[in-house]
Short mmCIF file of all heavy atoms in Angstrom, two decimals:
data_model
loop_
_atom_site.label_atom_id
_atom_site.label_comp_id
_atom_site.label_asym_id
_atom_site.label_seq_id
_atom_site.Cartn_x
_atom_site.Cartn_y
_atom_site.Cartn_z
N SER A 257 4.12 19.47 -4.39
CA SER A 257 5.43 20.10 -4.16
C SER A 257 6.48 19.07 -3.80
O SER A 257 7.64 19.16 -4.22
CB SER A 257 5.33 21.14 -3.03
OG SER A 257 4.48 22.18 -3.40
N LEU A 258 6.08 18.10 -3.00
CA LEU A 258 6.99 17.03 -2.58
C LEU A 258 7.45 16.25 -3.81
O LEU A 258 8.64 15.97 -3.98
CB LEU A 258 6.25 16.12 -1.60
CG LEU A 258 7.05 15.40 -0.52
CD1 LEU A 258 7.92 16.37 0.28
CD2 LEU A 258 6.10 14.66 0.40
N ALA A 259 6.50 15.94 -4.68
CA ALA A 259 6.83 15.16 -5.88
C ALA A 259 7.79 15.95 -6.78
O ALA A 259 8.69 15.37 -7.40
CB ALA A 259 5.55 14.80 -6.64
N ARG A 260 7.61 17.27 -6.83
CA ARG A 260 8.48 18.09 -7.69
C ARG A 260 9.93 18.06 -7.22
O ARG A 260 10.85 18.22 -8.01
CB ARG A 260 7.97 19.52 -7.74
CG ARG A 260 6.77 19.69 -8.65
CD ARG A 260 6.37 21.15 -8.76
NE ARG A 260 7.49 21.97 -9.19
CZ ARG A 260 7.80 23.15 -8.65
NH1 ARG A 260 7.08 23.64 -7.67
NH2 ARG A 260 8.82 23.83 -9.09
N LEU A 261 10.14 17.88 -5.91
CA LEU A 261 11.52 17.85 -5.40
C LEU A 261 12.27 16.60 -5.83
O LEU A 261 13.49 16.54 -5.78
CB LEU A 261 11.52 17.91 -3.87
CG LEU A 261 11.43 19.27 -3.20
CD1 LEU A 261 11.96 19.18 -1.79
CD2 LEU A 261 12.21 20.35 -3.96
N ARG A 262 11.53 15.58 -6.23
CA ARG A 262 12.17 14.35 -6.69
C ARG A 262 13.07 14.60 -7.90
O ARG A 262 14.04 13.89 -8.11
CB ARG A 262 11.12 13.32 -7.10
CG ARG A 262 10.49 12.64 -5.96
CD ARG A 262 9.54 11.57 -6.46
NE ARG A 262 8.72 11.09 -5.39
CZ ARG A 262 9.15 10.33 -4.42
NH1 ARG A 262 10.41 9.95 -4.39
NH2 ARG A 262 8.35 9.94 -3.46
N GLY A 263 12.70 15.62 -8.69
CA GLY A 263 13.48 15.92 -9.89
C GLY A 263 14.84 16.53 -9.59
O GLY A 263 15.70 16.63 -10.47
N LEU A 264 15.06 16.95 -8.35
CA LEU A 264 16.34 17.57 -7.99
C LEU A 264 17.43 16.52 -7.99
O LEU A 264 17.30 15.49 -7.34
CB LEU A 264 16.25 18.17 -6.59
CG LEU A 264 15.62 19.54 -6.43
CD1 LEU A 264 15.72 19.96 -4.98
CD2 LEU A 264 16.32 20.55 -7.32
N GLU A 265 18.51 16.82 -8.68
CA GLU A 265 19.58 15.83 -8.69
C GLU A 265 20.80 16.32 -7.93
O GLU A 265 21.04 17.51 -7.85
CB GLU A 265 19.94 15.50 -10.14
CG GLU A 265 19.00 14.42 -10.68
CD GLU A 265 19.17 14.17 -12.16
OE1 GLU A 265 20.26 14.45 -12.69
OE2 GLU A 265 18.18 13.70 -12.77
N GLY A 266 21.55 15.40 -7.40
CA GLY A 266 22.83 15.72 -6.78
C GLY A 266 22.75 16.33 -5.39
O GLY A 266 23.75 16.86 -4.90
N ILE A 267 21.59 16.28 -4.75
CA ILE A 267 21.50 16.83 -3.39
C ILE A 267 22.09 15.81 -2.41
O ILE A 267 21.63 14.67 -2.34
CB ILE A 267 20.03 17.14 -3.01
CG1 ILE A 267 19.43 18.20 -3.93
CG2 ILE A 267 19.93 17.57 -1.54
CD1 ILE A 267 20.09 19.56 -3.85
N GLU A 268 23.10 16.23 -1.69
CA GLU A 268 23.73 15.30 -0.74
C GLU A 268 23.29 15.55 0.68
O GLU A 268 23.44 14.68 1.55
CB GLU A 268 25.25 15.40 -0.86
CG GLU A 268 25.74 14.69 -2.11
CD GLU A 268 27.22 14.88 -2.37
OE1 GLU A 268 27.96 15.06 -1.39
OE2 GLU A 268 27.61 14.86 -3.55
N MET A 269 22.77 16.74 0.92
CA MET A 269 22.30 17.03 2.27
C MET A 269 21.18 18.05 2.22
O MET A 269 21.26 19.03 1.48
CB MET A 269 23.45 17.58 3.11
CG MET A 269 23.06 17.82 4.56
SD MET A 269 24.40 18.47 5.53
CE MET A 269 25.36 16.98 5.80
N ALA A 270 20.13 17.78 2.98
CA ALA A 270 19.05 18.76 3.12
C ALA A 270 19.04 19.25 4.56
O ALA A 270 19.12 18.45 5.50
CB ALA A 270 17.71 18.13 2.75
N LEU A 271 18.99 20.58 4.70
CA LEU A 271 18.94 21.20 6.03
C LEU A 271 17.56 21.80 6.21
O LEU A 271 17.21 22.77 5.53
CB LEU A 271 20.02 22.27 6.15
CG LEU A 271 21.47 21.79 5.94
CD1 LEU A 271 22.42 22.97 5.90
CD2 LEU A 271 21.87 20.80 7.04
N GLY A 272 16.78 21.22 7.11
CA GLY A 272 15.43 21.72 7.35
C GLY A 272 15.46 22.90 8.32
O GLY A 272 16.49 23.21 8.92
N GLY A 273 14.33 23.51 8.49
CA GLY A 273 14.20 24.61 9.45
C GLY A 273 14.21 24.11 10.89
O GLY A 273 14.39 24.90 11.82
N HIS A 274 14.01 22.83 11.07
CA HIS A 274 14.07 22.20 12.38
C HIS A 274 14.75 20.84 12.21
O HIS A 274 14.81 20.31 11.11
CB HIS A 274 12.66 21.95 12.95
CG HIS A 274 11.77 23.16 12.90
ND1 HIS A 274 11.71 24.10 13.89
CD2 HIS A 274 10.92 23.58 11.93
CE1 HIS A 274 10.84 25.04 13.56
NE2 HIS A 274 10.35 24.75 12.36
N GLU A 275 15.21 20.32 13.32
CA GLU A 275 15.73 18.94 13.36
C GLU A 275 17.04 18.79 12.59
O GLU A 275 17.55 19.73 12.00
CB GLU A 275 14.65 17.95 12.88
CG GLU A 275 13.38 18.10 13.72
CD GLU A 275 12.21 17.24 13.25
OE1 GLU A 275 12.29 16.58 12.21
OE2 GLU A 275 11.18 17.24 13.98
#
Side-chain angles (χ1 to χ4, degrees):
S257 296
L258 210 52
R260 283 185 55 224
L261 276 201
R262 282 184 192 288
L264 278 184
E265 275 172 24
I267 298 296
E268 284 174 29
M269 184 180 283
L271 301 172
H274 310 272
E275 303 176 355

